[in-house]
Amino acid sequence: MPSGFAIRKNQYYDSVFLMSVNARILKVEGIQQTAVLMGSPANKKLLLDIGIQDPDIEAAQPNDLIVAVIADSMGIINQVLGNLDVWLNAIQEEAPVSQLHTLEDGLTIKSNANLAMISIPGEYAAREARKALEAGLNVFIFSDNVSIEGELELKHLAKQRGLLVMGPDCGTSLINGMGLGFANAIRRGDIGAIGAAGTGLQEFTAQVHNHGFGISHAIGTGSHDLSDQIGGLTTLAVLDALEEDANTKVITIISKPPGAATLEHLLEKIGSCRKPVVGCFLGVDPDILSGRNNLKPARTIDEAARLAIKMSGNPIPLEVCLSPDDLKLLFDEKAGWSPEQKYLRGILAGGTFCYQSQQILRDAGITVYSNNPLEPKNKLKSPDKSIQHTFIDMGDEFYMVGKPHPMIDGTMRRQRIITESHDPQMAILYLDFILGYNASMDPVGELVDAIDKAKSVCKQRGGSLTVVASICGTGDDPQDLTFQMKMLQDSGVLVYDSNAKATAACCWLLGKE
Amino acid sequence: MVDVETKIDKLLTEPLVIVNVGLSKFAKSLEEQGVDVIQVDWMPPAGGDKEMMDLLDELL
């Protein structure tokens, strides 16, 4: 297939800008694949992986912009690359420009800063984080692709200096009611949280808010913190801080499976805490967690929210299973399936949601394949090809090469929904929608046409596609929660207010309650 | 140990003052929440040349 590229020397752009350019190019008819990135060694390797190579690309530097396009014809490629400057200028005009270019520049203006947020390419992030720690700042590192050795060094440095490192790969935190990164608008309260799983922490805080309660602080640790290499250095530091925090009555920890040694150490530490601790360690054998001193184990994030509310001295919210009305709707949906429709496909934006859904489905006796499976034997050979019941984490690195995360832009999920609709055996499509600061302002609007089209394709085959959705959000989020929900309902989607509940509906549809 | 607790405690009790290095949309959302934040449009120093960056770090 024809391909082409353009290089702009000494034009550096951040990843959101690059993704905006990428998204615009992808909308041009006839474009098959694009890569809009800076000329770092890692990015040049990615271009090689998709078959784009040239001596000029090899010679490009990290400050050089590279735009590569694969399309149906050379005419389309020439049209895109010929108009590149117009697009770059248009997008640049939408974003204000800062005259500050280094951390030191920032500190000359804000000498009283107590936190540095770092969201730059991973290969440079540790260097900037180290400088921030040495300047006495706590650090929130959104960047991924920092080496484990680099992370360990930063966290040891932070420990020596009495500072906090959230991340690397930290998507969210709430400090004193202020949302950092991808966070929901959550009222203040007395429930503290620690999360090594970004969307898990968002779901927990949104659940607490939606039950009418609030959060003191919810601190993200980064996805690697509870690995045995890092040993939970940030988690342990936050546990100490929340123990001392006068506004926190109960502490909840949300994570995917920690390393075995780290989990044991953490459980010992929890045992010595004065405040009660709720632990939602997704994927961990419940037997390991039962009977532990001072730990209330929760199997799901929903249960963790209810337990935390109870432990903070409030009446426990009722466990709302599927209501009789829900069951009637599900029954009616299932009645429309054709005989060959039998499989569930989850196309998810939230990595933790993909994980939790698989745990719930496994517990119900349903085997699920995934690009990020609970067990290696259920790993898809190709993430692009679903088999039987499949859950795809669309935020996985595989899909992120020069592309925006599905929480920011629905393009990749839209394409996948259409692909799945051509499989006559698909009966249920499950989608998650995540609201909050920095997420797409219209996540449902981005997918609703694809949902309608998938339903229509299925109907033409004589079947009926059941679409199940969960929304992680609050009424105070910048998006309009009620309108987002209504758009789904108007398209005949069954909408639930949590990932666990939506997955329970999928279990019921598959005959496993 | 007392020092460790005090410094992280301060982050949780005092108003946030943030230097945002990188994605400007993060600074924008913090501003909208009323957080005191300054935006740094970061770019790789020394043209992204790692060896040169290490050399600069040693000199500074």
Side-chain angles (χ1 to χ4, degrees), chain A residues 408 410 433 435 439-447 479 483-484 487:
Chain A
I408 299 174
F433 294 91
L435 311 187
S440 163
M441 283 306 289
D442 187 14
V444 172
E446 288 179 348
L447 297 194
Q479 301 84 356
F483 182 65
Q484 293 288 313
M487 268 196 289

Side-chain angles (χ1 to χ4, degrees), chain B residues 7-45:
Chain B
K7 283 187 176 177
I8 299 180
D9 280 354
K10 274 188 173 179
L11 179 73
L12 302 188
T13 51
E14 294 181 355
L16 290 173
V17 182
I18 299 180
V19 179
N20 184 56
V21 182
L23 302 178
S24 58
K25 68 186 295 187
F26 286 170
K28 191 164 174 277
S29 78
L30 288 163
E31 261 175 26
E32 285 167 3
Q33 295 174 72
V35 176
D36 188 358
V37 57
I38 189 90
Q39 170 62 19
V40 170
D41 282 352
W42 184 89
M43 54 180 65

Side-chain angles (χ1 to χ4, degrees), chain A residues 194-204 207 223 226 252-260 263 266-267 278-289 295-305 307 348 350-363 372-375 393 430 498-501 503:
Chain A
I194 307 170
T199 44
L201 198 56
Q202 282 191 256
E203 176 90 325
F204 175 78
Q207 293 279 317
S223 58
L226 289 174
T252 300
I253 303 175
I254 310 275
S255 85
K256 292 180 191 172
L263 177 60
L266 181 58
L267 292 172
V278 175
C280 179
F281 299 103
L282 296 170
V284 171
D285 182 348
D287 290 344
I288 294 175
L289 304 173
L295 177 76
K296 281 277 178 198
R299 285 294 284 159
T300 63
I301 298 165
D302 290 24
E303 189 184 5
L307 284 175
L348 302 194
T352 312
F353 294 148
C354 186
Y355 201 88
Q356 179 172 256
S357 285
Q358 289 182 71
Q359 178 190 284
I360 293 168
L361 289 157
R362 182 184 65 184
D363 291 352
N372 281 328
L374 298 187
E375 294 158 47
D393 172 4
Y430 169 40
S498 81
N499 163 251
K501 219 181 285 179
T503 311

